[in-house]
Amino acid sequence: MHLHLAYPAVLAVLLFCVGLYGVLARRNAILVLMSVELMLNAVNLNLVAFDVWLRDALHAGQALTLFTIAIAAAEIGIGLAIVLAVYRNRGSSAVDELRDTAEGPDDPDGADHAEEPDPAQKSQKAEATA
């Protein structure tokens, strides 16, 4: 029996497109990670399908798929740890709110434009706290 390459290729394209939509459209970090996993599974499906179609004696596509699965497992472990840490600190796992960790709340480009207060204000503040 000969494998028709079109069937797994079309399925892989559909899986990849669903994953790409999930990465671009979702705001929840868990759903973004799941979408990345869908995209990796589409790549794995292509690797195995082409390996069978080309009748590779070394099964390089299947071996590369095993490495991809191992990397995906490590990626999801680290990704979930980061998402859990962000959720504990901020109370939300929305991807849009993660931008605030790199940028200041009032500065859209992240540069620090804060001016130093003059010495008179520093002394008044020190006296008020004493």
Side-chain angles (χ1 to χ4, degrees), residues 41-102:
N41 285 332
V43 170
N44 288 339
L45 181 61
N46 268 334
L47 283 171
V48 171
F50 275 97
D51 183 57
V52 171
W53 185 65
L54 293 173
R55 294 190 172 111
D56 185 18
L58 295 176
H59 299 293
Q62 294 179 23
L64 190 57
T65 298
L66 289 175
F67 285 114
T68 307
I69 290 171
I71 289 171
E75 174 255 336
I76 200 70
I78 292 171
L80 283 175
I82 291 171
V83 168
L84 185 62
V86 167
Y87 182 77
R88 284 183 180 172
N89 285 336
R90 297 195 173 248
S92 172
S93 63
V95 178
D96 295 344
E97 296 175 10
L98 294 179
R99 197 166 298 151
D100 295 339
T101 59

Side-chain angles (χ1 to χ4, degrees), residues 104 106-107 109-117:
D106 296 331
D107 194 10
D109 62 346
D112 188 21
H113 300 294
E115 296 179 8
E116 288 292 322

